[in-house]
Amino acid sequence: MNKTKILILLIAIFASSSLIAQTGKTISGHVKDEVKKNISQVTIVLRSAKDSSLVKGTISHEDGSFIFENVDQMDYILQFSHLNYITIYKNISLNRSLIINDVVLDHKKNIKLGEVKVKSRKPLLIRSTDKLTLNIEGSIYEKGENGLRLFNIIPGVNATGKEIKFRGTEGVTVYVDNRRLLLSGDQLITYLQNIPSESIKSYELKAVPGAEHDAQNAGVIINIELKSEYKFGLSGNINTGYWYNGYNNGNASVLLNYRIDKWTLQAGGNYRNSPAFYEDDIIQQVKNSNLNSLQKEKFVEKFNTYGYNFGIDYRLTENQTVGANYTMFANPGDRDNTTNTVTNFLKVNSPSLVDSSQISNKRDNFYYKSQMSNIFYRNKLDSLGSKLDVGYSYVKYNLDNPSTVETSFYNEDQIEREKRDSLYTYNKGNSQAHVINIDLEKNLKNSFSFNVGGKYSISKTKYLMEYRQGLSSISPLDSQMSNDFTYNEKILAFYTTISKSLKNWQFKVGVRAEKTDYDGNSSSGDQKISRNRWDWFPSAYINRKLGENHSFTVSYGRRINRPGFRQLNPFTFYNSANNIQEGNPNLSPYFSNNIQLEYLLKSKYSFTFGFQNTQNGIVTRINNIDELVISRDENISDNHNFFLSAYIPIKITKWWEFNINTTLRNTQIDVASSPEVHRSKFSQNLWATNRINLPNKYFLEISGFYNRNGFYDFYDAHNIGKIDIYVKKSFFKDKLTTRLEIGDPFHMFKPGQDIITPTLVRNVYRNKIDFSRYVGVWFNYSFSTGKKSTNREYIDAGGNEVRGRL
């Protein structure tokens, strides 16, 4: 017996002897070679499936037999090792004593294990040229989680409330199997919560997106890669939940896959009934008149949303697939949508006394419907992964939003002092877009690959706004204010990327060209815009690996952010009598540059230093005319920031894991206003999570974050924090998962901002918001039948980029 084998045996014997003696199950079997000859002296190690920690060890006898006694009921990995044979692994779930049929070790590369599933364990984090991959399959996060919660495992990512942020401030664009999800708010959160972790293979983080992606992608890209194995027959999952945050909330969804012969069908539906609300306290001072006021604003929107999707694939040949998809989301209309604003104006000489008051009541009935359909063709060109994709998408969006605002005026004795002011507005819009895309990926045998592709989109958007002096649709029309606006846009894009690997070096460069041609005009003729331009978007990556434990990556990319179609409408939206928001048809796209250096240590610890800048960025500028506050989006901000971020996971014990993310950022903002504004800040973002595995398959998570010294556009954001508690329990071999969530029990999440201009001071304190403080319970059930087969094809629908701006 060689020294290595003796050492392994001594470690195994020591680990097994340290366990508390107890009555448990047994695991036994025989080890043979490919000609059925018994193999002795095979080192057999029993490891925990949760973290691969050593549990017991033994060696096979002369007749090839082995046995483990007093083994607890749980999931294990069996490792079979021998100097002359290939090491193999076997995953088992022990709920009774187990006799394993002959385990075959092979001198050759092929491993013959009968029904034994060979599973190698990948590192949790893998750095490649342009992305960081988080491997969920085979990790401790593989079971009982969902697609949204796993975002918090990705270095630098924080998923909380209705937002997913990277490094505290950067936006995230979500893909699933390279298909972009253009959902927002509750819809995106609900969709991600309905993806069980059992179906997720990995997450791919692209902090600097490449030329192959739409240049419009803001922030970073995170792609959820699903496992490639589904089954013939029916499979899917059902999800439902209830939570209370001052109102009753509920949601339910189902996702189904069906595979038969060459056909793959998918269908899903979801429903959500979840009121939205907030409460703000506002302290305001108009400097010119020294007019001080205290405001309390309460917003409640009671509504429901529903959505469904259908998809079908047909395999023409082994390598060619055609398919079609349809997705729809809708809000059928608000049952109750009110904003109540009470403003108390204080006496100039006695600021503790009320001089006069006004109360604005706004009522909305908001309806929208978003639809997208697409057809595609995919041809897998060779065994190296080369493929050709061709697709067409059609996108349609409809909006219907009648609204009324009524304001009452009172003197210091709370007696109405003048006639009430009333206004009826009707905002209606529709958008349509057609998109054609073609993409070729070619991989060659010498570690060289290239991508080329193109996309052409045509969109037309029309919105109208009516203003009536009254509270109904038959009140007198204000023809001077009423208007409509039509916006036409065409974007032609081409891209190419080239990548090459040389031993421990990886290189990738690319460039994207986009020609944008757009025009907009109003029927009154007072608003006209027109532009025609080419823009270029280069990207480059260099990755260097030093041994097994060190990886360095330098990345660069240029991106564009186009204004949303609704931002371009030249309309005025009244939130109350003293607070309005103006559209701006003269908004232009703005560009950003991003360069980063990342160091990855032992495929676990990530450290990144970077620089980001934007020019003529769109920010919301606050102005005022006396007590009237006016918000308007404008291209006036240049932003330059340096940052340092770190992700450090700490394994405290085999059942307790602590992860910490932190980003330190120095930001300089230059605003082209009158007077000019130049500001800089050193901000800090901290996000930490404790994950604890408890007995009987209970799981506890306590997580929290703290953001300090940040910006709200170029104004001051209040420091905020939050702590959440999460308990999970699985049943029926992890098919059914229940979870209890308690959000912000200590009421720490109180966002706000301090807006200071030459003529106004406005301090906003948000005391309540719907997604922060809650307690709820959710249930998720996954099922499948039939033989394993491949998943349906997922291809990024080209219309998704347009749909996101609707």
Side-chain angles (χ1 to χ4, degrees):
M1 185 181 299
N2 59 38
K3 293 182 180 179
T4 301
K5 186 173 296 183
I6 293 174
L7 181 59
I8 294 175
L9 178 58
L10 289 175
I11 294 173
I13 293 174
F14 175 80
S16 61
S17 65
S18 65
L19 298 174
I20 299 174
Q22 57 180 318
T23 301
K25 310 303 179 184
T26 62
I27 303 173
S28 60
H30 285 79
V31 186
K32 297 185 177 183
D33 64 13
E34 63 270 23
V35 295
K36 303 300 181 182
K37 181 180 177 181
N38 296 330
I39 308 176
S40 62
Q41 302 298 312
V42 176
T43 302
I44 306 164
V45 177
L46 187 66
R47 299 181 181 274
S48 168
K50 289 183 178 180
D51 54 13
S52 294
S53 60
L54 191 62
V55 177
K56 288 175 176 283
T58 188
I59 290 179
S60 62
H61 301 121
E62 291 294 331
D63 60 355
S65 64
F66 67 92
I67 186 169
F68 292 103
E69 297 180 332
N70 294 326
V71 182
D72 291 338
Q73 292 187 178
M74 58 184 292
D75 295 335
Y76 294 100
I77 300 173
L78 272 174
Q79 176 182 335
F80 299 84
S81 303
H82 192 283
L83 182 63
N84 299 320
Y85 297 86
I86 298 174
T87 299
I88 64 171
Y89 300 86
K90 175 178 173 60
N91 285 25
I92 61 174
S93 182
L94 190 64
N95 51 30
R96 58 183 175 82
S97 294
L98 180 65
I99 300 176
I100 302 177
N101 294 327
D102 291 345
V103 178
V104 178
L105 302 186
D106 203 329
H107 289 92
K108 302 177 182 179
K109 293 183 179 180
N110 296 324
I111 304 173
K112 300 178 181 180
L113 290 174
E115 296 184 357
V116 174
K117 182 178 180 179
V118 180
K119 185 175 183 180
S120 61
R121 299 182 64 84
K122 297 180 180 179
L124 183 63
L125 296 176
I126 296 178
R127 177 76 232 189
S128 55
T129 315
D130 60 343
K131 63 188 176 185
L132 183 70
T133 300
L134 174 74
N135 291 302
I136 300 301
E137 186 177 24
S139 76
I140 62 174
Y141 307 108
E142 186 175 24
K143 295 184 179 181
E145 299 288 351
N146 65 61
L148 176 65
R149 291 196 55 78
L150 290 174
F151 272 85
N152 293 320
I153 312 298
I154 305 172
V157 178
N158 180 6
T160 182
K162 295 180 180 180
E163 292 184 318
I164 302 173
K165 291 292 186 180
F166 183 59
R167 298 182 184 133
T169 59
E170 299 175 48
V172 173
T173 302
V174 181
Y175 284 68
V176 174
D177 275 332
N178 297 310
R179 179 172 57 93
R180 190 178 179 190
L181 295 180
L182 264 302
L183 309 175
S184 61
D186 292 338
Q187 295 175 355
L188 177 61
I189 298 302
T190 300
Y191 182 91
L192 295 173
Q193 286 174 336
N194 295 330
I195 302 178
S197 58
E198 290 83 353
S199 67
I200 297 175
K201 181 179 180 181
S202 64
Y203 284 73
E204 297 173 342
L205 168 66
K206 296 186 177 182
V208 182
E212 67 272 23
H213 297 285
D214 288 319
Q216 170 64 23
N217 283 323
V220 304
I221 289 177
I222 297 179
N223 177 51
I224 304 175
E225 185 180 4
L226 301 179
K227 293 179 181 177
S228 60
E229 293 183 345
Y230 266 94
K231 297 184 176 182
F232 278 100
L234 184 66
S235 63
N237 71 86
I238 301 172
N239 182 47
T240 186
Y242 167 84
W243 64 104
Y244 182 78
N245 57 5
Y247 294 89
N248 295 310
N249 302 262
N251 76 305
S253 65
V254 60
L255 178 65
L256 303 174
N257 294 276
Y258 185 72
R259 171 72 188 238
I260 181 171
D261 297 329
K262 297 182 179 181
W263 296 90
T264 302
L265 310 176
Q266 187 179 81
N270 63 80
Y271 174 80
R272 185 182 182 98
N273 186 345
S274 177
F277 63 87
Y278 66 79
E279 290 187 13
D280 287 352
D281 287 323
I282 304 169
I283 302 173
Q284 184 169 292
Q285 178 187 19
V286 180
K287 294 182 179 180
N288 296 339
S289 61
N290 199 27
L291 180 63
N292 298 311
S293 65
L294 301 176
Q295 299 178 30
K296 182 174 285 292
E297 184 172 291
K298 295 182 179 181
F299 165 78
V300 177
E301 182 182 16
K302 297 179 180 179
F303 68 103
N304 51 26
T305 60
Y306 68 92
Y308 52 83
N309 64 279
F310 302 99
I312 183 170
D313 293 357
Y314 178 74
R315 292 193 176 276
L316 299 171
T317 66
E318 183 65 25
N319 296 322
Q320 299 183 71
T321 303
V322 294
N325 299 278
Y326 174 78
T327 304
M328 191 283 298
F329 285 96
N331 167 16
D334 293 328
R335 301 190 302 276
D336 187 14
N337 185 331
T338 61
T339 304
N340 176 264
T341 306
V342 178
T343 305
N344 291 319
F345 297 99
L346 306 179
K347 291 186 176 182
V348 175
N349 297 325
S350 302
S352 61
L353 300 177
V354 175
D355 178 74
S356 61
S357 303
Q358 65 183 43
I359 300 176
S360 291
N361 288 296
K362 181 182 179 182
R363 301 185 69 90
D364 281 278
N365 188 5
F366 187 82
Y367 165 82
Y368 74 86
K369 186 175 183 179
S370 175
Q371 304 174 79
M372 188 178 77
S373 56
N374 84 292
I375 56 176
F376 69 87
Y377 165 79
R378 166 168 286 181
N379 189 348
K380 297 179 180 179
L381 302 175
D382 53 44
S383 60
L384 297 176
S386 303
K387 61 181 181 290
L388 172 68
D389 290 332
V390 182
Y392 163 77
S393 298
Y394 173 70
V395 183
K396 186 176 182 181
Y397 177 81
N398 296 95
L399 166 72
D400 196 89
N401 181 206
S403 174
T404 62
V405 180
E406 184 178 38
T407 304
S408 305
F409 305 91
Y410 300 87
N411 61 22
E412 59 182 311
D413 298 321
Q414 295 301 299
I415 298 174
E416 284 196 59
R417 57 183 172 84
E418 60 182 88
K419 182 182 178 181
R420 295 184 179 184
D421 182 67
S422 57
L423 177 67
Y424 173 90
T425 62
Y426 180 47
N427 183 214
K428 184 176 182 179
N430 65 78
S431 302
Q432 298 183 60
H434 302 268
V435 183
I436 299 174
N437 66 285
I438 181 169
D439 302 273
L440 172 65
E441 177 182 346
K442 183 62 178 177
N443 298 313
L444 305 177
K445 292 183 179 180
N446 56 353
S447 299
F448 175 84
S449 64
F450 66 89
N451 295 61
V452 293
K455 186 170 77 171
Y456 183 59
S457 64
I458 304 175
S459 62
K460 181 177 182 179
T461 302
K462 183 173 183 179
Y463 282 87
L464 66 85
M465 189 69 155
E466 291 182 358
Y467 299 88
R468 296 180 180 270
Q469 299 303 318
L471 295 174
S472 73
S473 59
I474 60 174
S475 298
L477 177 69
D478 187 335
S479 58
Q480 295 296 318
M481 289 187 64
S482 299
N483 203 351
D484 62 49
F485 193 75
T486 301
Y487 181 82
N488 299 294
E489 181 182 79
K490 300 176 184 178
I491 300 178
L492 176 64
F494 301 98
Y495 76 89
T496 183
T497 66
I498 300 174
S499 59
K500 173 68 176 178
S501 297
L502 296 171
K503 198 174 181 180
N504 293 322
W505 290 87
Q506 291 179 311
F507 304 89
K508 182 177 180 179
V509 294
V511 64
R512 186 179 188 92
E514 293 190 353
K515 181 180 184 292
T516 306
D517 181 6
Y518 64 88
D519 63 81
N521 61 82
S522 59
S523 59
S524 62
D526 61 344
Q527 296 285 355
K528 289 186 177 181
I529 57 174
S530 179
R531 289 186 178 88
N532 189 323
R533 57 183 296 168
W534 279 96
D535 295 299
W536 299 86
F537 305 95
S539 61
Y541 311 87
I542 301 175
N543 175 255
R544 176 71 164 103
K545 293 181 179 180
L546 298 174
E548 296 293 327
N549 295 327
H550 308 279
S551 174
F552 295 87
T553 304
V554 178
S555 308
Y556 168 76
R558 184 174 189 254
R559 315 299 291 168
I560 188 174
N561 287 271
R562 298 184 177 91
F565 295 149
R566 292 191 68 190
Q567 288 179 283
L568 296 166
N569 295 326
F571 309 143
T572 299
F573 296 89
Y574 286 80
N575 300 317
S576 69
N578 294 331
N579 194 326
I580 65 174
Q581 183 174 0
E582 296 180 342
N584 185 359
N586 295 311
L587 288 175
S588 299
Y590 66 92
F591 301 87
S592 61
N593 293 280
N594 192 342
I595 184 168
Q596 299 181 17
L597 169 63
E598 183 193 33
Y599 168 53
L600 183 64
L601 173 64
K602 296 183 178 179
S603 297
K604 292 173 59 178
Y605 310 99
S606 175
F607 304 90
T608 305
F609 175 75
F611 170 76
Q612 299 164 326
N613 80 321
T614 60
Q615 294 180 327
N616 297 318
I618 298 175
V619 295
T620 301
R621 181 161 67 172
I622 308 297
N623 288 315
N624 70 295
I625 302 176
D626 296 327
E627 69 271 17
L628 177 64
V629 177
I630 305 169
S631 303
R632 179 181 171 90
D633 291 339
E634 298 181 4
N635 289 96
I636 56 174
S637 176
D638 292 344
N639 184 310
H640 310 274
N641 72 84
F642 293 89
F643 69 88
L644 176 65
S645 68
Y647 168 75
I648 303 174
I650 303 172
K651 191 79 172 178
I652 299 176
T653 69
K654 66 178 182 180
W655 47 267
W656 182 8
E657 181 178 295
F658 178 74
N659 292 347
I660 184 169
N661 291 273
T662 184
T663 299
L664 307 177
R665 188 183 300 270
N666 187 78
T667 304
Q668 178 181 323
I669 297 178
D670 301 308
V671 181
S673 59
S674 181
E676 293 184 351
V677 176
H678 304 282
R679 305 200 61 199
S680 63
K681 276 190 177 186
F682 177 63
S683 59
Q684 304 92 46
N685 171 260
L686 177 68
W687 164 257
T689 305
N690 286 279
R691 296 184 175 91
I692 302 173
N693 289 298
L694 300 174
N696 299 320
K697 288 191 175 182
Y698 280 96
F699 176 85
L700 170 66
E701 179 179 294
I702 302 174
S703 61
F705 74 90
Y706 183 69
N707 294 341
R708 181 184 177 278
N709 207 29
F711 279 108
Y712 170 75
D713 282 330
F714 58 92
Y715 306 107
D716 292 317
H718 293 176
N719 301 337
I720 57 172
K722 191 170 186 280
I723 293 176
D724 296 326
I725 301 172
Y726 167 90
V727 182
K728 181 185 69 177
K729 168 70 173 174
S730 298
F731 303 90
F732 309 125
K733 296 183 179 180
D734 297 331
K735 290 184 177 181
L736 174 65
T737 301
T738 63
R739 70 180 189 272
L740 170 69
E741 294 186 19
I742 303 174
D744 195 18
F746 306 108
H747 200 189
M748 298 172 58
F749 188 77
K750 296 181 180 181
Q753 57 272 169
D754 297 329
I755 299 169
I756 301 175
T757 75
T759 59
L760 180 72
V761 176
R762 182 177 173 87
N763 308 114
V764 182
Y765 304 88
R766 180 151 292 179
N767 298 311
K768 291 184 179 180
I769 192 167
D770 55 273
F771 59 80
S772 177
R773 301 194 73 198
Y774 65 91
V775 59
V777 60
W778 282 263
F779 302 89
N780 183 281
Y781 181 75
S782 300
F783 58 90
S784 61
T785 60
K787 301 178 181 179
K788 288 185 178 179
S789 182
T790 56
N791 191 3
R792 73 180 302 250
E793 296 289 349
Y794 280 104
I795 298 175
D796 179 21
N800 272 313
E801 185 272 331
V802 176
R803 184 182 179 197
R805 298 171 58 215
L806 302 185

